[in-house]
Amino acid sequence: MKTIIEPFRIKSVEPIRMSTPAERASLLADAGYNLFKLPSESIVIDLLTDSGTGAMSAQQWAAVMQGDESYAGSPSFRRFEAAVRDIFGFRHVIPTHQGRAAERILAATLLEPGDVVPNNTHFDTTRANIEAVGATALDLPCAESRDLSASHPFKGNIDLEALERLLAAPPGRIPVAFVTITNNGGGGQPVSMANLAAASALCRRHGVPFYIDACRFAENAYFVKAREPGWQNKSLIDIARATFALADGCTMSAKKDGMANIGGFLCTNDDEVAEHEEELLILTEGFPTYGGLAGRDLEAIAVGLYEALDPSYQEYRHASVQYLGEHLTAAGVPILQPPGGHAIYVDAATFLNHLPRELYPGQALAIELYRAAGIRSVEIGSVMFGKRDPTSGRESFAAHELVRLAIPRRVYTQSHIDYVVESLAELAARRREIPGVRIVEQPAALRHFSARFEPVTLAAAPGFSPARR
Ligand SMILES: *Cc1c(COP(=O)(O)O)cnc(C)c1O
């Protein structure tokens, strides 16, 4: 059959409250045009993130009822640990309340000021935790990742030559090297087994522990099976096991391919490292048999990790992201190619090419998509990664102005996705009328969460003219 269906029936539904453009325009003004400040009941389709926003299965809800909330020695922990060991294969499994807690404990255990940590692309919390201990987070994405519109099967790969040069002549200690699968910061693009194996071998040769940021390990396994010669006949769980056999440890957010609403873990094969990490865990997260989680959360993750590796689930997940990407492309909406595993990234600088980057085309598009259709997305561009120098007032800009449409797991059906396509196609037809924005208030750090904006039409922005782009 050509039609790939949602491989589930719906047993419990969550109503969507329909709102009008006029209602949303007034909510936007109240929120300072910052989509993080909207009440979520006012959103028709929420594509802000795929993190912790998925629907749990009947099996997961049944497991929740088996949760044993004992402080120590809970069988829920043993079931969680058995599932993680079975798939990931590491000796020590340390539960945390989410991925960033695993990163913080790892950084505090391994890193000192002046150290350098390479990665294909650090996720923002990984970077923040490395920088918080005075170390440097270095992104080494492969050359193919630089061209947004070029298709390549493994655009998430780490640049092996750059990694080799770094390891041969390190500017500081390198206590750990990372590869993130899939590469979230780089558009949800996958990493090949060949690239992971080569990165692992380079690290082994230089005595550097090799870690995987495993958040979307099952989506990555699906891409490997679909695209990488030699892996077609392997099951997703075997690909996952082969992936982690290359590594010395991993960090994981169970809010992604753990199919849970909260949770994470940290793994290592090093007994001494694990001992130190468990001491830190007790300080801020909890006893080693629960971390920052309830027994019921551990149960939901233990089931969810296997469900993420179900081939019919992955086939459906990739079909729906691909479907959105293909239909947007056909409607003339420029996107990062090829579609990633968990999201579509609209190239807002190209889409709204009448707006100079000083008028934040990504934020402008995200605002209009919400006002017109009630769809919440997120700007991944100069609002998120740019900075205003507090003394000179000069602005630095991001390399790309993107708007991410992240797809929650098992939540939306094809008609929801069709609605998203139709909404963006409608914006494409009148894109030159979409106004830019200026920032009227911003904090010193992580400004995208709390900045306030104001719409500004091009005519009202002196010094800007469409000819500048
Ligand atoms: C979400 C994410 C994290 C952090 O996990 P949280 O559970 O949000 O703390 C780390 N790395 C990647 C690649 C992620 O997508």
Side-chain angles (χ1 to χ4, degrees):
M1 299 302 268
K2 281 218 309 280
T3 305
I4 295 167
I5 62 169
E6 286 85 2
F8 48 78
R9 296 183 298 183
I10 296 167
K11 184 176 298 222
S12 178
V13 298
E14 190 177 357
I16 292 174
R17 205 180 70 81
M18 303 307 281
S19 49
T20 63
E23 215 179 302
R24 293 190 292 264
S26 121
L27 287 165
L28 273 170
D30 293 346
Y33 297 88
N34 187 327
L35 304 186
F36 284 99
K37 293 189 177 176
L38 291 171
S40 63
E41 319 87 89
S42 74
I43 290 158
V44 177
I45 299 206
D46 201 349
L47 307 183
L48 178 67
T49 177
D50 66 322
S51 179
T53 53
M56 293 213 294
S57 66
Q59 288 79 2
Q60 283 179 294
W61 284 112
V64 161
M65 290 306 293
Q66 309 278 340
D68 179 309
E69 306 302 341
S70 305
Y71 190 93
S74 163
S76 298
F77 175 72
R78 290 199 297 275
R79 284 190 278 272
F80 166 83
E81 184 186 45
V84 176
R85 280 226 185 100
D86 180 36
I87 298 167
F88 295 76
F90 298 110
R91 196 149 63 233
H92 301 280
V93 177
I94 298 170
T96 59
H97 79 277
Q98 58 185 88
R100 67 198 66 186
E103 293 166 352
R104 202 195 70 84
I105 289 170
L106 183 71
T109 302
L110 296 184
L111 303 182
E112 285 170 16
D115 290 350
V116 178
V117 180
N119 199 329
N120 45 355
T121 308
H122 288 87
F123 182 67
D124 56 6
T125 60
T126 323
R127 169 176 292 280
N129 275 299
I130 290 168
E131 291 175 351
V133 296
T136 301
L138 197 61
D139 289 343
L140 305 174
C142 67
E144 292 85 357
S145 69
R146 260 157 242 149
D147 182 352
L148 293 186
S149 60
S151 244
H152 179 275
F154 291 104
K155 248 176 150 174
N157 283 351
I158 192 166
D159 181 337
L160 291 168
E161 281 168 31
L163 179 63
E164 186 161 22
R165 277 197 302 277
L166 180 79
L167 292 168
R173 260 179 10 124
I174 304 180
V176 61
F178 264 95
V179 170
T180 302
I181 61 173
T182 58
N183 189 353
N184 186 9
Q189 299 294 316
V191 179
S192 72
M193 292 299 290
N195 188 259
L196 283 166
S200 164
L202 281 173
C203 288
R204 293 252 151 99
R205 194 173 332 133
H206 289 88
V208 171
F210 179 62
Y211 271 60
I212 293 176
D213 178 336
C215 296
R216 297 179 182 79
F217 76 99
E219 289 171 8
N220 203 76
Y222 181 86
F223 279 121
V224 165
K225 186 175 167 75
R227 296 182 182 172
E228 190 166 358
W231 294 91
Q232 273 71 35
N233 298 323
K234 298 276 198 295
S235 65
L236 296 180
I237 198 167
D238 284 342
I239 296 172
R241 286 175 180 142
T243 299
F244 295 105
L246 296 167
D248 300 293
C250 76
T251 54
M252 172 75 183
S253 167
K255 302 173 74 170
K256 286 54 173 267
D257 279 349
M259 310 294 277
N261 301 118
I262 195 71
F265 52 86
L266 171 60
C267 293
T268 174
N269 285 329
D270 186 317
D271 299 343
E272 231 175 283
V273 166
E275 202 181 310
H276 190 256
E277 287 171 347
E278 288 186 347
E279 284 166 17
L280 287 177
L281 188 80
I282 293 169
L283 282 184
T284 59
E285 292 283 297
F287 193 71
T289 59
Y290 69 87
L293 297 169
R296 63 180 80 101
D297 299 324
L298 296 168
E299 297 276 3
I301 298 166
V303 174
L305 290 169
Y306 288 103
E307 291 183 351
L309 291 165
D310 174 347
S312 56
Y313 162 69
Q314 282 297 337
E315 190 179 26
Y316 138 77
R317 172 127 180 101
H318 287 264
S320 58
V321 177
Q322 180 88 21
Y323 178 91
L324 175 58
E326 281 171 6
H327 284 76
L328 288 179
T329 305
V333 179
I335 64 164
L336 191 161
Q337 298 285 0
H342 67 292
I344 294 295
Y345 295 68
V346 178
D347 177 359
T350 304
F351 191 58
L352 302 185
N353 64 3
H354 61 292
L355 297 179
R357 59 188 186 173
E358 288 83 354
L359 295 183
Y360 305 104
Q363 186 68 17
L365 176 58
I367 290 168
E368 183 56 15
L369 187 58
Y370 172 71
R371 192 200 61 79
I375 298 166
R376 178 159 66 174
S377 55
V378 64
E379 192 256 19
I380 301 205
S382 293
V383 171
M384 191 177 272
F385 296 122
K387 272 197 183 88
R388 186 169 294 171
D389 186 283
T391 39
S392 70
R394 278 179 66 94
E395 187 82 11
S396 63
F397 294 93
H400 301 294
E401 305 295 340
L402 303 174
V403 170
R404 187 182 72 179
L405 308 166
I407 313 298
R409 292 171 180 77
R410 302 189 291 208
V411 169
Y412 294 117
T413 64
Q414 184 172 342
S415 63
H416 293 115
I417 302 286
D418 283 335
Y419 176 87
V420 175
V421 172
E422 188 184 333
S423 303
L424 273 153
E426 191 267 326
L427 297 198
R430 57 177 177 87
R431 59 201 176 90
R432 296 199 162 268
E433 295 160 23
I434 296 174
V437 292
R438 72 161 72 96
I439 300 179
V440 291
E441 212 182 285
Q442 58 178 312
L446 296 174
R447 65 180 182 179
H448 54 287
F449 290 127
S450 56
R452 295 182 78 82
F453 304 86
E454 194 174 81
V456 33
T457 51
L458 216 47
F464 296 130
S465 75
R468 280 195 52 183
R469 291 195 81 94

Coordinates of all heavy atoms in Angstrom, one line a residue, residues 55-61 63-64 79-80 83-84 87-88 215 217-219 237 252-262 265 296-310 313-314 409-410:
A55 N 2.1 11.7 22.9 CA 1.1 11.0 23.5 C 1.6 9.6 24.0 O 2.3 9.0 23.2 CB -0.1 10.8 22.5
M56 N 1.3 9.3 25.2 CA 1.7 7.9 25.7 C 0.7 6.9 25.2 O -0.5 7.2 24.9 CB 1.8 7.9 27.2 CG 2.9 8.8 27.7 SD 3.7 8.2 29.2 CE 2.4 8.3 30.4
S57 N 1.2 5.6 25.1 CA 0.3 4.5 24.6 C -0.4 3.9 25.8 O -0.1 4.2 27.0 CB 1.2 3.5 24.0 OG 2.0 2.9 25.1
A58 N -1.4 3.1 25.5 CA -2.2 2.4 26.5 C -1.2 1.5 27.4 O -1.4 1.4 28.6 CB -3.2 1.5 25.9
Q59 N -0.2 0.9 26.7 CA 0.8 0.1 27.5 C 1.6 1.0 28.5 O 1.9 0.6 29.6 CB 1.8 -0.6 26.5 CG 1.2 -1.7 25.7 CD 0.4 -1.2 24.5 OE1 0.2 0.0 24.2 NE2 -0.2 -2.2 23.8
Q60 N 1.9 2.2 28.0 CA 2.6 3.1 28.9 C 1.8 3.5 30.1 O 2.2 3.5 31.3 CB 3.1 4.4 28.2 CG 4.4 4.1 27.4 CD 4.8 5.3 26.6 OE1 4.1 5.8 25.8 NE2 6.0 5.9 27.0
W61 N 0.5 3.8 29.9 CA -0.4 4.2 31.0 C -0.6 3.0 31.9 O -0.7 3.2 33.1 CB -1.7 4.7 30.4 CG -1.6 6.1 29.9 CD1 -1.8 6.5 28.6 CD2 -1.4 7.3 30.6 NE1 -1.6 7.9 28.5 CE2 -1.3 8.4 29.7 CE3 -1.1 7.6 32.0 CZ2 -1.1 9.7 30.1 CZ3 -0.9 8.9 32.4 CH2 -0.9 9.9 31.4
A63 N 1.6 0.8 32.5 CA 2.9 0.7 33.2 C 2.9 1.7 34.3 O 3.5 1.5 35.4 CB 4.1 0.8 32.3
V64 N 2.4 2.9 34.0 CA 2.3 4.0 35.1 C 1.7 3.5 36.3 O 2.1 3.7 37.5 CB 1.6 5.2 34.5 CG1 1.1 6.1 35.6 CG2 2.5 6.0 33.5
R79 N 13.2 -2.2 36.2 CA 12.6 -2.4 34.9 C 13.2 -1.3 33.9 O 13.5 -1.6 32.8 CB 11.1 -2.3 34.9 CG 10.5 -3.6 35.4 CD 9.0 -3.7 35.2 NE 8.3 -2.9 36.3 CZ 7.9 -3.5 37.4 NH1 8.1 -4.8 37.7 NH2 7.2 -2.8 38.3
F80 N 13.3 -0.1 34.4 CA 13.9 1.0 33.7 C 15.4 0.7 33.3 O 15.8 0.7 32.1 CB 13.8 2.3 34.5 CG 14.7 3.4 34.0 CD1 14.2 4.3 33.1 CD2 15.9 3.7 34.6 CE1 14.9 5.4 32.6 CE2 16.7 4.8 34.2 CZ 16.2 5.6 33.2
A83 N 15.7 -2.1 30.6 CA 15.4 -1.6 29.3 C 16.5 -0.8 28.7 O 16.9 -1.0 27.6 CB 14.1 -0.8 29.3
V84 N 17.1 0.1 29.5 CA 18.2 1.0 29.1 C 19.4 0.1 28.7 O 20.0 0.3 27.7 CB 18.5 2.1 30.1 CG1 19.7 2.9 29.6 CG2 17.3 3.0 30.3
I87 N 19.0 -1.9 25.4 CA 19.1 -1.2 24.2 C 20.4 -0.4 24.0 O 21.0 -0.5 23.0 CB 17.9 -0.1 24.1 CG1 16.6 -0.9 24.1 CG2 18.0 0.7 22.8 CD1 15.3 0.0 24.3
F88 N 20.8 0.2 25.1 CA 22.0 1.0 25.1 C 23.3 0.3 25.5 O 24.4 0.7 25.0 CB 21.8 2.3 26.0 CG 20.7 3.2 25.5 CD1 19.4 2.8 25.7 CD2 21.0 4.4 24.8 CE1 18.3 3.7 25.2 CE2 19.9 5.2 24.4 CZ 18.6 4.8 24.6
C215 N 19.2 11.7 22.3 CA 17.8 12.1 22.4 C 16.9 11.5 21.3 O 15.8 11.0 21.6 CB 17.7 13.6 22.3 SG 18.5 14.4 23.7
F217 N 17.7 8.8 19.2 CA 18.4 7.6 18.7 C 17.6 6.7 17.8 O 18.1 6.1 16.9 CB 19.0 6.8 19.9 CG 17.9 6.0 20.6 CD1 17.8 4.6 20.3 CD2 17.0 6.6 21.5 CE1 16.8 3.9 21.0 CE2 16.0 5.8 22.1 CZ 15.9 4.5 21.9
A218 N 16.3 6.6 18.1 CA 15.5 5.7 17.3 C 15.2 6.3 15.9 O 15.2 5.6 14.9 CB 14.2 5.4 18.0
E219 N 15.0 7.6 15.8 CA 14.8 8.3 14.5 C 16.1 8.1 13.7 O 16.0 7.9 12.5 CB 14.4 9.8 14.7 CG 13.0 9.9 15.3 CD 12.6 11.3 15.7 OE1 13.4 12.3 15.4 OE2 11.5 11.5 16.3
I237 N 16.4 -2.0 16.6 CA 17.0 -2.2 17.9 C 18.5 -2.7 17.7 O 19.4 -2.3 18.4 CB 16.2 -3.2 18.8 CG1 16.7 -3.1 20.3 CG2 16.3 -4.7 18.4 CD1 15.7 -3.7 21.3
M252 N 20.8 11.4 27.6 CA 19.5 11.1 27.0 C 18.4 12.0 27.6 O 18.3 12.1 28.8 CB 19.2 9.6 27.1 CG 17.8 9.2 26.6 SD 17.7 9.2 24.8 CE 15.9 8.8 24.6
S253 N 17.6 12.6 26.7 CA 16.3 13.2 27.2 C 15.2 12.2 26.8 O 14.9 12.0 25.6 CB 16.1 14.5 26.5 OG 14.8 14.9 26.7
A254 N 14.5 11.6 27.8 CA 13.4 10.7 27.5 C 12.2 11.4 27.0 O 11.2 10.8 26.6 CB 13.1 9.9 28.7
K255 N 12.3 12.8 27.0 CA 11.1 13.6 26.4 C 11.1 13.5 24.9 O 10.2 14.0 24.3 CB 11.3 15.0 26.9 CG 11.3 15.1 28.4 CD 11.6 16.6 28.8 CE 10.4 17.5 28.6 NZ 10.6 18.8 29.3
K256 N 12.1 12.9 24.3 CA 12.2 12.7 22.8 C 11.9 11.3 22.6 O 10.7 10.8 22.7 CB 13.5 13.2 22.3 CG 13.8 14.7 22.2 CD 13.6 15.4 23.4 CE 14.1 16.9 23.4 NZ 15.4 17.1 23.8
D257 N 12.9 10.5 22.2 CA 12.6 9.1 21.8 C 12.4 8.2 23.0 O 12.3 6.9 22.9 CB 13.7 8.6 20.9 CG 13.5 9.0 19.4 OD1 12.4 9.5 19.1 OD2 14.4 8.8 18.6
G258 N 12.3 8.7 24.2 CA 11.8 7.9 25.4 C 10.3 7.9 25.4 O 9.7 7.1 26.2
M259 N 9.7 8.6 24.5 CA 8.2 8.7 24.3 C 7.5 9.0 25.7 O 6.4 8.6 25.9 CB 7.7 7.3 23.8 CG 8.4 6.8 22.6 SD 8.2 7.8 21.1 CE 6.6 7.1 20.6
A260 N 8.2 9.8 26.5 CA 7.6 10.1 27.8 C 7.5 11.6 27.9 O 8.0 12.4 27.1 CB 8.5 9.6 28.9
N261 N 6.7 12.1 28.9 CA 6.5 13.5 29.1 C 7.6 14.2 29.9 O 7.7 15.4 30.0 CB 5.1 13.8 29.6 CG 4.0 13.3 28.7 OD1 3.3 12.4 29.1 ND2 4.0 13.8 27.5
I262 N 8.4 13.3 30.6 CA 9.5 13.9 31.4 C 10.5 12.7 31.6 O 10.1 11.6 31.5 CB 9.0 14.4 32.8 CG1 10.1 15.3 33.5 CG2 8.5 13.3 33.7 CD1 10.3 16.6 32.9
F265 N 18.4 10.2 31.2 CA 19.4 9.4 31.9 C 20.8 9.7 31.4 O 21.0 10.3 30.3 CB 19.1 7.9 31.8 CG 18.8 7.3 30.5 CD1 19.8 6.9 29.6 CD2 17.5 7.2 30.1 CE1 19.5 6.3 28.4 CE2 17.1 6.7 28.8 CZ 18.2 6.2 28.0
R296 N 6.6 5.9 38.6 CA 5.7 5.8 37.4 C 6.4 6.4 36.1 O 6.1 5.9 35.0 CB 4.4 6.4 37.7 CG 4.4 7.9 37.9 CD 3.0 8.5 38.2 NE 2.6 8.2 39.6 CZ 2.7 9.1 40.6 NH1 3.0 10.3 40.4 NH2 2.3 8.8 41.8
D297 N 7.2 7.4 36.3 CA 7.9 7.9 35.1 C 8.9 6.9 34.6 O 9.1 6.8 33.3 CB 8.7 9.2 35.5 CG 7.8 10.3 36.0 OD1 6.6 10.5 35.5 OD2 8.2 11.1 36.9
L298 N 9.6 6.3 35.5 CA 10.6 5.3 35.1 C 9.9 4.1 34.3 O 10.4 3.6 33.3 CB 11.3 4.7 36.3 CG 12.2 5.6 37.1 CD1 12.6 5.0 38.4 CD2 13.4 6.1 36.3
E299 N 8.7 3.8 34.7 CA 8.0 2.7 34.0 C 7.6 3.1 32.6 O 7.7 2.4 31.7 CB 6.7 2.4 34.8 CG 6.9 1.8 36.2 CD 7.2 0.3 36.3 OE1 7.2 -0.3 35.2 OE2 7.3 -0.2 37.4
A300 N 7.1 4.4 32.5 CA 6.7 4.9 31.2 C 7.8 4.9 30.2 O 7.7 4.6 29.0 CB 6.1 6.3 31.3
I301 N 9.0 5.3 30.7 CA 10.2 5.3 29.8 C 10.6 3.9 29.4 O 11.0 3.7 28.3 CB 11.4 6.1 30.5 CG1 11.0 7.5 30.8 CG2 12.6 6.0 29.7 CD1 11.9 8.2 31.8
A302 N 10.6 3.0 30.4 CA 11.0 1.6 30.1 C 10.2 1.0 29.0 O 10.7 0.3 28.1 CB 10.9 0.7 31.4
V303 N 8.9 1.4 28.9 CA 8.0 0.9 27.8 C 8.3 1.7 26.5 O 8.4 1.2 25.4 CB 6.6 0.9 28.2 CG1 5.6 0.6 27.1 CG2 6.3 0.0 29.4
G304 N 8.4 3.1 26.7 CA 8.5 4.0 25.6 C 9.7 3.8 24.8 O 9.7 3.9 23.5
L305 N 10.8 3.4 25.4 CA 12.1 3.2 24.6 C 11.9 2.1 23.5 O 12.4 2.3 22.4 CB 13.2 2.9 25.5 CG 13.7 4.0 26.5 CD1 14.7 3.4 27.5 CD2 14.4 5.1 25.6
Y306 N 11.2 1.1 23.9 CA 10.9 0.0 22.9 C 9.9 0.5 21.8 O 10.0 0.1 20.7 CB 10.4 -1.2 23.6 CG 11.5 -2.0 24.4 CD1 11.5 -1.9 25.8 CD2 12.5 -2.7 23.7 CE1 12.5 -2.5 26.5 CE2 13.5 -3.4 24.5 CZ 13.5 -3.3 25.8 OH 14.5 -3.9 26.6
E307 N 8.9 1.3 22.3 CA 7.9 1.7 21.3 C 8.5 2.6 20.2 O 8.1 2.6 19.1 CB 6.8 2.4 22.0 CG 5.9 1.5 22.8 CD 4.7 2.1 23.5 OE1 4.6 3.3 23.5 OE2 3.9 1.3 24.1
A308 N 9.6 3.4 20.6 CA 10.2 4.3 19.7 C 10.9 3.5 18.6 O 11.2 3.9 17.5 CB 11.2 5.2 20.4
L309 N 11.3 2.2 18.9 CA 12.0 1.3 18.0 C 11.0 0.5 17.2 O 11.5 -0.4 16.4 CB 13.0 0.5 18.8 CG 14.2 1.2 19.4 CD1 14.9 0.4 20.4 CD2 15.2 1.7 18.3
D310 N 9.7 0.6 17.4 CA 8.8 -0.1 16.6 C 8.8 0.3 15.1 O 8.6 1.5 14.9 CB 7.4 0.1 17.2 CG 6.2 -0.5 16.4 OD1 6.5 -1.0 15.3 OD2 5.1 -0.6 16.9
Y313 N 5.8 2.4 13.8 CA 5.8 3.8 14.4 C 6.8 4.7 13.7 O 6.4 5.8 13.3 CB 6.1 3.7 15.9 CG 6.5 5.1 16.4 CD1 5.6 6.1 16.5 CD2 7.8 5.4 16.7 CE1 5.9 7.4 16.9 CE2 8.2 6.7 17.1 CZ 7.3 7.7 17.2 OH 7.7 8.9 17.5
Q314 N 8.0 4.2 13.5 CA 9.0 5.0 12.8 C 8.6 5.3 11.4 O 8.8 6.4 10.9 CB 10.4 4.4 12.9 CG 11.1 4.6 14.2 CD 11.4 6.0 14.6 OE1 11.5 6.9 13.8 NE2 11.5 6.3 15.9
R409 N 5.1 13.6 19.1 CA 5.0 12.2 18.7 C 3.6 11.7 19.0 O 3.1 11.8 20.1 CB 6.0 11.4 19.5 CG 7.5 11.7 19.1 CD 8.5 11.1 20.0 NE 9.8 11.4 19.4 CZ 10.4 12.6 19.6 NH1 9.8 13.5 20.3 NH2 11.6 12.9 19.1
R410 N 3.0 11.1 17.9 CA 1.6 10.4 18.0 C 0.5 11.3 18.4 O -0.5 10.9 19.0 CB 1.7 9.2 19.0 CG 2.8 8.2 18.7 CD 2.7 6.9 19.5 NE 3.0 7.1 20.9 CZ 3.5 6.2 21.7 NH1 3.8 5.0 21.2 NH2 3.8 6.4 23.0

